[in-house]
CSV table of all heavy atoms in Angstrom, one decimal:
chain,number,residue,atom,x,y,z
A,1,MET,N,0.8,-1.2,0.0
A,1,MET,CA,0.0,0.0,0.0
A,1,MET,C,0.9,1.3,0.0
A,1,MET,O,2.0,1.3,0.6
A,1,MET,CB,-0.9,0.0,1.2
A,1,MET,CG,-2.2,-0.9,1.0
A,1,MET,SD,-3.4,-0.6,2.4
A,1,MET,CE,-2.7,-1.8,3.5
A,2,GLN,N,0.4,2.3,-0.6
A,2,GLN,CA,1.1,3.5,-0.8
A,2,GLN,C,1.0,4.4,0.5
A,2,GLN,O,0.0,4.6,1.1
A,2,GLN,CB,0.4,4.3,-2.0
A,2,GLN,CG,1.0,5.6,-2.3
A,2,GLN,CD,2.3,5.4,-3.1
A,2,GLN,OE1,2.3,4.7,-4.1
A,2,GLN,NE2,3.3,6.1,-2.7
A,3,SER,N,2.2,5.0,0.8
A,3,SER,CA,2.3,6.0,1.9
A,3,SER,C,2.0,7.4,1.3
A,3,SER,O,2.3,7.6,0.1
A,3,SER,CB,3.6,5.9,2.6
A,3,SER,OG,3.8,4.7,3.3
A,4,TYR,N,1.6,8.3,2.1
A,4,TYR,CA,1.3,9.7,1.7
A,4,TYR,C,1.9,10.6,2.7
A,4,TYR,O,1.9,10.3,3.9
A,4,TYR,CB,-0.2,9.9,1.6
A,4,TYR,CG,-0.8,9.3,0.4
A,4,TYR,CD1,-1.1,8.0,0.3
A,4,TYR,CD2,-1.2,10.1,-0.7
A,4,TYR,CE1,-1.6,7.4,-0.8
A,4,TYR,CE2,-1.8,9.6,-1.8
A,4,TYR,CZ,-2.0,8.2,-1.9
A,4,TYR,OH,-2.5,7.7,-3.0
A,5,VAL,N,2.5,11.7,2.2
A,5,VAL,CA,3.1,12.7,3.1
A,5,VAL,C,2.3,14.0,3.0
A,5,VAL,O,1.9,14.5,2.0
A,5,VAL,CB,4.6,12.9,2.7
A,5,VAL,CG1,4.7,13.5,1.3
A,5,VAL,CG2,5.3,13.8,3.7
A,6,CYS,N,2.2,14.7,4.2
A,6,CYS,CA,1.5,16.0,4.3
A,6,CYS,C,2.5,17.0,3.8
A,6,CYS,O,3.6,17.1,4.2
A,6,CYS,CB,1.2,16.2,5.8
A,6,CYS,SG,0.4,17.9,6.1
A,7,GLU,N,2.0,17.8,2.8
A,7,GLU,CA,2.8,18.9,2.2
A,7,GLU,C,3.0,20.0,3.2
A,7,GLU,O,3.9,20.8,3.0
A,7,GLU,CB,2.2,19.4,1.0
A,7,GLU,CG,2.1,18.3,-0.1
A,7,GLU,CD,1.6,18.8,-1.4
A,7,GLU,OE1,0.6,19.5,-1.4
A,7,GLU,OE2,2.2,18.5,-2.5
A,8,LEU,N,2.3,20.1,4.2
A,8,LEU,CA,2.4,21.3,5.2
A,8,LEU,C,3.4,21.0,6.3
A,8,LEU,O,4.1,21.9,6.7
A,8,LEU,CB,1.0,21.6,5.7
A,8,LEU,CG,0.0,22.0,4.7
A,8,LEU,CD1,-1.3,22.4,5.4
A,8,LEU,CD2,0.5,23.2,3.9
A,9,CYS,N,3.4,19.7,6.8
A,9,CYS,CA,4.3,19.5,8.0
A,9,CYS,C,5.2,18.2,7.8
A,9,CYS,O,5.9,17.9,8.7
A,9,CYS,CB,3.4,19.3,9.2
A,9,CYS,SG,2.5,17.7,9.3
A,10,ASP,N,5.1,17.6,6.7
A,10,ASP,CA,5.9,16.4,6.4
A,10,ASP,C,5.5,15.1,7.2
A,10,ASP,O,6.3,14.1,7.2
A,10,ASP,CB,7.4,16.7,6.6
A,10,ASP,CG,8.0,17.6,5.5
A,10,ASP,OD1,7.4,17.5,4.4
A,10,ASP,OD2,8.9,18.4,5.8
A,11,TYR,N,4.4,15.1,7.8
A,11,TYR,CA,3.9,13.9,8.5
A,11,TYR,C,3.6,12.8,7.4
A,11,TYR,O,3.1,13.2,6.3
A,11,TYR,CB,2.6,14.1,9.3
A,11,TYR,CG,1.9,12.9,9.6
A,11,TYR,CD1,2.2,12.1,10.7
A,11,TYR,CD2,0.8,12.4,8.9
A,11,TYR,CE1,1.6,11.0,11.1
A,11,TYR,CE2,0.1,11.3,9.2
A,11,TYR,CZ,0.5,10.5,10.3
A,11,TYR,OH,-0.2,9.4,10.7
A,12,THR,N,4.1,11.6,7.6
A,12,THR,CA,3.8,10.6,6.6
A,12,THR,C,2.8,9.6,7.2
A,12,THR,O,2.9,9.0,8.2
A,12,THR,CB,5.1,9.8,6.3
A,12,THR,OG1,6.1,10.7,5.7
A,12,THR,CG2,4.9,8.7,5.3
A,13,TYR,N,1.7,9.4,6.4
A,13,TYR,CA,0.7,8.4,6.7
A,13,TYR,C,1.1,7.1,6.1
A,13,TYR,O,1.3,7.0,4.9
A,13,TYR,CB,-0.7,8.8,6.2
A,13,TYR,CG,-1.7,7.6,6.4
A,13,TYR,CD1,-2.2,7.4,7.7
A,13,TYR,CD2,-2.0,6.7,5.4
A,13,TYR,CE1,-3.1,6.4,8.0
A,13,TYR,CE2,-2.9,5.7,5.7
A,13,TYR,CZ,-3.4,5.5,6.9
A,13,TYR,OH,-4.2,4.4,7.2
A,14,ASP,N,1.4,6.1,7.0
A,14,ASP,CA,1.8,4.8,6.6
A,14,ASP,C,0.7,3.9,6.8
A,14,ASP,O,0.3,3.6,8.0
A,14,ASP,CB,3.1,4.4,7.4
A,14,ASP,CG,3.6,3.0,7.1
A,14,ASP,OD1,2.9,2.2,6.4
A,14,ASP,OD2,4.7,2.7,7.4
A,15,PRO,N,0.1,3.3,5.7
A,15,PRO,CA,-1.1,2.4,5.9
A,15,PRO,C,-0.8,1.2,6.7
A,15,PRO,O,-1.7,0.6,7.3
A,15,PRO,CB,-1.5,2.1,4.5
A,15,PRO,CG,-0.3,2.4,3.7
A,15,PRO,CD,0.5,3.5,4.3
A,16,GLY,N,0.5,0.8,6.8
A,16,GLY,CA,0.8,-0.4,7.6
A,16,GLY,C,0.7,-0.1,9.1
A,16,GLY,O,0.5,-1.0,9.9
A,17,ILE,N,0.8,1.2,9.4
A,17,ILE,CA,0.7,1.6,10.8
A,17,ILE,C,-0.7,2.1,11.2
A,17,ILE,O,-1.2,1.9,12.3
A,17,ILE,CB,1.8,2.6,11.2
A,17,ILE,CG1,3.2,2.0,11.0
A,17,ILE,CG2,1.6,3.2,12.6
A,17,ILE,CD1,4.3,3.0,11.0
A,18,GLY,N,-1.3,2.8,10.2
A,18,GLY,CA,-2.6,3.4,10.4
A,18,GLY,C,-2.4,4.7,11.3
A,18,GLY,O,-1.4,5.3,11.3
A,19,ASP,N,-3.5,5.1,11.9
A,19,ASP,CA,-3.5,6.2,12.8
A,19,ASP,C,-4.4,5.8,14.0
A,19,ASP,O,-5.5,6.3,14.2
A,19,ASP,CB,-4.0,7.4,12.1
A,19,ASP,CG,-4.0,8.7,12.9
A,19,ASP,OD1,-3.4,8.7,14.0
A,19,ASP,OD2,-4.7,9.7,12.5
A,20,ILE,N,-3.8,4.9,14.8
A,20,ILE,CA,-4.6,4.4,16.0
A,20,ILE,C,-5.2,5.4,16.9
A,20,ILE,O,-6.3,5.3,17.3
A,20,ILE,CB,-3.7,3.4,16.8
A,20,ILE,CG1,-3.2,2.3,15.9
A,20,ILE,CG2,-4.4,2.9,18.0
A,20,ILE,CD1,-4.3,1.3,15.5
A,21,GLU,N,-4.4,6.5,17.2
A,21,GLU,CA,-4.9,7.5,18.1
A,21,GLU,C,-6.2,8.2,17.5
A,21,GLU,O,-7.0,8.8,18.3
A,21,GLU,CB,-3.9,8.6,18.3
A,21,GLU,CG,-2.7,8.0,19.1
A,21,GLU,CD,-1.6,9.1,19.3
A,21,GLU,OE1,-1.8,10.3,19.0
A,21,GLU,OE2,-0.6,8.7,19.8
A,22,ASN,N,-6.4,8.1,16.2
A,22,ASN,CA,-7.6,8.8,15.6
A,22,ASN,C,-8.6,7.7,15.0
A,22,ASN,O,-9.4,8.0,14.1
A,22,ASN,CB,-7.2,9.8,14.5
A,22,ASN,CG,-6.5,11.0,15.2
A,22,ASN,OD1,-7.1,11.7,16.0
A,22,ASN,ND2,-5.2,11.2,14.9
A,23,GLY,N,-8.5,6.5,15.5
A,23,GLY,CA,-9.4,5.4,15.1
A,23,GLY,C,-9.2,4.8,13.8
A,23,GLY,O,-10.1,4.2,13.2
A,24,VAL,N,-8.0,4.9,13.2
A,24,VAL,CA,-7.7,4.3,11.9
A,24,VAL,C,-6.8,3.1,12.1
A,24,VAL,O,-5.7,3.2,12.6
A,24,VAL,CB,-7.0,5.3,10.9
A,24,VAL,CG1,-6.7,4.6,9.6
A,24,VAL,CG2,-7.9,6.5,10.7
A,25,ALA,N,-7.4,1.9,11.8
A,25,ALA,CA,-6.7,0.7,12.0
A,25,ALA,C,-5.5,0.5,11.0
A,25,ALA,O,-5.5,0.9,9.9
A,25,ALA,CB,-7.6,-0.5,11.9
A,26,PRO,N,-4.5,-0.2,11.5
A,26,PRO,CA,-3.4,-0.6,10.6
A,26,PRO,C,-4.0,-1.4,9.4
A,26,PRO,O,-4.9,-2.1,9.5
A,26,PRO,CB,-2.5,-1.5,11.4
A,26,PRO,CG,-2.7,-1.1,12.8
A,26,PRO,CD,-4.2,-0.7,12.8
A,27,GLY,N,-3.4,-1.1,8.2
A,27,GLY,CA,-3.9,-1.8,7.0
A,27,GLY,C,-4.9,-1.0,6.2
A,27,GLY,O,-5.4,-1.4,5.2
A,28,THR,N,-5.2,0.2,6.7
A,28,THR,CA,-6.2,1.1,6.1
A,28,THR,C,-5.5,1.9,5.0
A,28,THR,O,-4.6,2.8,5.3
A,28,THR,CB,-6.9,2.1,7.1
A,28,THR,OG1,-7.5,1.3,8.1
A,28,THR,CG2,-7.9,2.9,6.4
A,29,ALA,N,-5.9,1.7,3.8
A,29,ALA,CA,-5.3,2.5,2.7
A,29,ALA,C,-5.7,4.0,2.8
A,29,ALA,O,-6.8,4.3,3.3
A,29,ALA,CB,-5.8,2.0,1.3
A,30,PHE,N,-4.9,4.9,2.3
A,30,PHE,CA,-5.1,6.3,2.4
A,30,PHE,C,-6.5,6.6,1.7
A,30,PHE,O,-7.3,7.4,2.3
A,30,PHE,CB,-4.0,7.1,1.7
A,30,PHE,CG,-4.1,8.6,1.8
A,30,PHE,CD1,-3.7,9.2,3.0
A,30,PHE,CD2,-4.7,9.4,0.8
A,30,PHE,CE1,-3.8,10.6,3.2
A,30,PHE,CE2,-4.8,10.7,1.0
A,30,PHE,CZ,-4.4,11.4,2.1
A,31,GLU,N,-6.8,6.0,0.6
A,31,GLU,CA,-8.0,6.2,-0.1
A,31,GLU,C,-9.2,5.8,0.7
A,31,GLU,O,-10.3,6.3,0.5
A,31,GLU,CB,-8.0,5.4,-1.4
A,31,GLU,CG,-7.0,5.9,-2.4
A,31,GLU,CD,-5.6,5.3,-2.1
A,31,GLU,OE1,-5.4,4.4,-1.3
A,31,GLU,OE2,-4.6,5.8,-2.7
A,32,ASN,N,-9.0,5.0,1.7
A,32,ASN,CA,-10.2,4.5,2.5
A,32,ASN,C,-10.3,5.2,3.9
A,32,ASN,O,-11.1,4.9,4.7
A,32,ASN,CB,-10.0,3.0,2.8
A,32,ASN,CG,-10.2,2.2,1.5
A,32,ASN,OD1,-10.8,2.6,0.6
A,32,ASN,ND2,-9.5,1.1,1.5
A,33,LEU,N,-9.4,6.3,4.1
A,33,LEU,CA,-9.6,7.0,5.3
A,33,LEU,C,-10.9,7.8,5.3
A,33,LEU,O,-11.4,8.2,4.2
A,33,LEU,CB,-8.4,8.1,5.4
A,33,LEU,CG,-7.1,7.5,5.7
A,33,LEU,CD1,-6.0,8.6,5.5
A,33,LEU,CD2,-7.0,6.9,7.1
A,34,PRO,N,-11.5,8.0,6.4
A,34,PRO,CA,-12.8,8.8,6.4
A,34,PRO,C,-12.6,10.2,5.8
A,34,PRO,O,-11.5,10.7,5.8
A,34,PRO,CB,-13.1,9.0,7.9
A,34,PRO,CG,-12.3,7.9,8.6
A,34,PRO,CD,-11.1,7.7,7.7
A,35,ASP,N,-13.6,10.7,5.1
A,35,ASP,CA,-13.5,12.0,4.5
A,35,ASP,C,-13.1,13.1,5.4
A,35,ASP,O,-12.5,14.1,5.0
A,35,ASP,CB,-14.8,12.3,3.8
A,35,ASP,CG,-15.1,11.4,2.6
A,35,ASP,OD1,-14.2,10.9,2.0
A,35,ASP,OD2,-16.3,11.3,2.2
A,36,ASP,N,-13.5,13.0,6.7
A,36,ASP,CA,-13.2,14.0,7.6
A,36,ASP,C,-11.8,13.8,8.4
A,36,ASP,O,-11.5,14.6,9.3
A,36,ASP,CB,-14.3,14.2,8.6
A,36,ASP,CG,-14.6,13.0,9.5
A,36,ASP,OD1,-14.0,11.9,9.2
A,36,ASP,OD2,-15.3,13.1,10.4
A,37,TRP,N,-11.1,12.8,8.0
A,37,TRP,CA,-9.8,12.6,8.6
A,37,TRP,C,-8.8,13.7,8.3
A,37,TRP,O,-8.8,14.3,7.2
A,37,TRP,CB,-9.2,11.3,8.1
A,37,TRP,CG,-7.8,10.9,8.7
A,37,TRP,CD1,-7.6,10.3,9.8
A,37,TRP,CD2,-6.5,11.2,8.2
A,37,TRP,NE1,-6.3,10.1,10.1
A,37,TRP,CE2,-5.6,10.7,9.1
A,37,TRP,CE3,-6.1,11.9,7.0
A,37,TRP,CZ2,-4.2,10.9,8.9
A,37,TRP,CZ3,-4.7,12.0,6.8
A,37,TRP,CH2,-3.8,11.5,7.8
A,38,LYS,N,-8.1,14.1,9.3
A,38,LYS,CA,-7.1,15.2,9.1
A,38,LYS,C,-5.7,14.8,9.6
A,38,LYS,O,-5.6,13.9,10.4
A,38,LYS,CB,-7.6,16.5,9.8
A,38,LYS,CG,-8.9,17.1,9.3
A,38,LYS,CD,-9.2,18.3,10.0
A,38,LYS,CE,-10.5,19.0,9.6
A,38,LYS,NZ,-11.1,18.7,8.4
A,39,CYS,N,-4.7,15.5,9.1
A,39,CYS,CA,-3.3,15.2,9.6
A,39,CYS,C,-3.3,15.3,11.1
A,39,CYS,O,-3.7,16.3,11.7
A,39,CYS,CB,-2.4,16.2,8.9
A,39,CYS,SG,-0.7,16.0,9.5
A,40,PRO,N,-2.8,14.2,11.8
A,40,PRO,CA,-2.8,14.3,13.2
A,40,PRO,C,-1.7,15.3,13.8
A,40,PRO,O,-1.8,15.6,15.0
A,40,PRO,CB,-2.4,12.8,13.6
A,40,PRO,CG,-1.8,12.3,12.4
A,40,PRO,CD,-2.3,13.0,11.2
A,41,VAL,N,-0.9,15.8,13.0
A,41,VAL,CA,0.2,16.7,13.4
A,41,VAL,C,-0.3,18.2,13.3
A,41,VAL,O,-0.3,18.9,14.2
A,41,VAL,CB,1.5,16.5,12.7
A,41,VAL,CG1,2.5,17.5,13.1
A,41,VAL,CG2,2.0,15.1,13.0
A,42,CYS,N,-0.7,18.5,12.0
A,42,CYS,CA,-1.1,19.9,11.8
A,42,CYS,C,-2.5,20.2,11.4
A,42,CYS,O,-2.9,21.4,11.3
A,42,CYS,CB,-0.2,20.5,10.7
A,42,CYS,SG,-0.6,19.9,9.0
A,43,GLY,N,-3.3,19.2,11.3
A,43,GLY,CA,-4.7,19.3,11.0
A,43,GLY,C,-5.1,19.5,9.5
A,43,GLY,O,-6.2,19.9,9.2
A,44,ALA,N,-4.1,19.3,8.6
A,44,ALA,CA,-4.4,19.5,7.2
A,44,ALA,C,-5.4,18.5,6.7
A,44,ALA,O,-5.4,17.3,7.2
A,44,ALA,CB,-3.1,19.4,6.4
A,45,GLU,N,-6.1,18.8,5.7
A,45,GLU,CA,-7.1,17.9,5.1
A,45,GLU,C,-6.4,16.9,4.1
A,45,GLU,O,-5.3,17.2,3.8
A,45,GLU,CB,-8.2,18.7,4.4
A,45,GLU,CG,-8.9,19.5,5.5
A,45,GLU,CD,-10.3,20.0,5.0
A,45,GLU,OE1,-10.8,19.6,4.0
A,45,GLU,OE2,-10.8,20.9,5.7
A,46,LYS,N,-7.1,15.9,3.8
A,46,LYS,CA,-6.5,14.8,2.9
A,46,LYS,C,-6.0,15.4,1.6
A,46,LYS,O,-5.0,14.8,1.1
A,46,LYS,CB,-7.6,13.7,2.6
A,46,LYS,CG,-7.8,12.9,3.8
A,46,LYS,CD,-9.0,11.9,3.6
A,46,LYS,CE,-8.8,11.0,2.4
A,46,LYS,NZ,-9.8,10.0,2.2
A,47,ASP,N,-6.6,16.4,1.0
A,47,ASP,CA,-6.1,17.0,-0.2
A,47,ASP,C,-4.8,17.7,-0.2
A,47,ASP,O,-4.2,18.1,-1.2
A,47,ASP,CB,-7.2,17.9,-0.9
A,47,ASP,CG,-7.5,19.1,-0.1
A,47,ASP,OD1,-7.0,19.3,1.0
A,47,ASP,OD2,-8.3,19.9,-0.6
A,48,GLU,N,-4.2,17.8,1.1
A,48,GLU,CA,-2.9,18.4,1.3
A,48,GLU,C,-1.8,17.3,1.3
A,48,GLU,O,-0.6,17.6,1.5
A,48,GLU,CB,-2.8,19.2,2.6
A,48,GLU,CG,-3.8,20.4,2.6
A,48,GLU,CD,-3.4,21.5,1.6
A,48,GLU,OE1,-2.2,21.5,1.2
A,48,GLU,OE2,-4.2,22.3,1.3
A,49,PHE,N,-2.2,16.1,1.0
A,49,PHE,CA,-1.2,15.0,1.0
A,49,PHE,C,-0.8,14.6,-0.4
A,49,PHE,O,-1.7,14.6,-1.3
A,49,PHE,CB,-1.8,13.7,1.7
A,49,PHE,CG,-1.8,13.8,3.3
A,49,PHE,CD1,-2.6,14.7,3.9
A,49,PHE,CD2,-0.9,13.1,4.0
A,49,PHE,CE1,-2.6,14.8,5.3
A,49,PHE,CE2,-0.9,13.2,5.4
A,49,PHE,CZ,-1.7,14.0,6.0
A,50,GLN,N,0.4,14.1,-0.6
A,50,GLN,CA,0.9,13.6,-1.8
A,50,GLN,C,1.4,12.2,-1.6
A,50,GLN,O,2.0,11.9,-0.6
A,50,GLN,CB,2.0,14.5,-2.4
A,50,GLN,CG,1.5,15.8,-2.9
A,50,GLN,CD,0.7,15.7,-4.1
A,50,GLN,OE1,0.9,14.9,-5.0
A,50,GLN,NE2,-0.3,16.6,-4.2
A,51,ALA,N,1.3,11.4,-2.6
A,51,ALA,CA,1.8,10.0,-2.6
A,51,ALA,C,3.4,10.1,-2.5
A,51,ALA,O,4.0,10.9,-3.1
A,51,ALA,CB,1.4,9.2,-3.8
A,52,VAL,N,3.9,9.2,-1.6
A,52,VAL,CA,5.4,9.1,-1.5
A,52,VAL,C,5.9,8.3,-2.7
A,52,VAL,O,5.4,7.2,-2.9
A,52,VAL,CB,5.7,8.4,-0.2
A,52,VAL,CG1,7.2,8.2,-0.1
A,52,VAL,CG2,5.2,9.3,1.0
A,53,PRO,N,6.9,8.8,-3.4
A,53,PRO,CA,7.4,8.0,-4.6
A,53,PRO,C,8.0,6.7,-4.1
A,53,PRO,O,8.6,6.6,-3.0
A,53,PRO,CB,8.5,8.9,-5.1
A,53,PRO,CG,8.3,10.3,-4.6
A,53,PRO,CD,7.5,10.1,-3.3
A,54,ASP,N,7.8,5.7,-4.9
A,54,ASP,CA,8.3,4.3,-4.7
A,54,ASP,C,9.8,4.3,-5.0
A,54,ASP,O,10.1,4.4,-6.2
A,54,ASP,CB,7.5,3.3,-5.5
A,54,ASP,CG,7.9,1.9,-5.1
A,54,ASP,OD1,8.8,1.7,-4.3
A,54,ASP,OD2,7.3,0.9,-5.7
A,55,LYS,N,10.6,4.1,-4.0
A,55,LYS,CA,12.1,4.2,-4.2
A,55,LYS,C,12.6,2.8,-4.7
A,55,LYS,O,13.8,2.7,-5.0
A,55,LYS,CB,12.8,4.6,-2.9
A,55,LYS,CG,12.4,6.0,-2.5
A,55,LYS,CD,13.1,6.5,-1.3
A,55,LYS,CE,12.6,7.9,-0.9
A,55,LYS,NZ,13.2,8.3,0.3
A,56,SER,N,11.8,1.8,-4.8
A,56,SER,CA,12.3,0.5,-5.2
A,56,SER,C,12.4,0.4,-6.7
A,56,SER,O,12.8,-0.7,-7.2
A,56,SER,CB,11.4,-0.6,-4.6
A,56,SER,OG,10.1,-0.5,-5.2
A,57,LEU,N,11.9,1.4,-7.4
A,57,LEU,CA,11.9,1.3,-8.9
A,57,LEU,C,13.3,1.6,-9.5
A,57,LEU,O,14.1,2.3,-9.1
A,57,LEU,CB,10.9,2.2,-9.5
A,57,LEU,CG,9.4,1.9,-9.1
A,57,LEU,CD1,8.5,3.0,-9.7
A,57,LEU,CD2,9.0,0.6,-9.6
């Protein structure tokens, strides 16, 4: 699954870890996060996140 980084504060959402403190279970893809989910560090909305490039290519 793809990780995403917040463009405002550099927080990385890792789907393997999820966001337990905000009710998001490990294994939850970014696309499946609730519409009202926000960056747990700075409060940015989902549209402020960009996919992390795959470095294995």
Side-chain angles (χ1 to χ4, degrees):
M1 280 188 273
Q2 182 76 49
S3 293
Y4 283 76
V5 65
C6 177
E7 294 183 316
L8 301 180
C9 74
D10 290 328
Y11 165 81
T12 299
Y13 174 76
D14 180 342
I17 297 171
D19 183 13
I20 298 296
E21 292 180 9
N22 292 298
V24 178
T28 303
F30 186 82
E31 296 80 12
N32 295 331
L33 289 171
D35 290 336
D36 62 349
W37 182 86
K38 296 187 183 340
C39 177
V41 175
C42 73
E45 298 196 11
K46 287 173 60 177
D47 63 356
E48 297 292 341
F49 282 73
Q50 289 291 324
V52 175
D54 185 356
K55 296 179 182 177
S56 67
L57 298 176

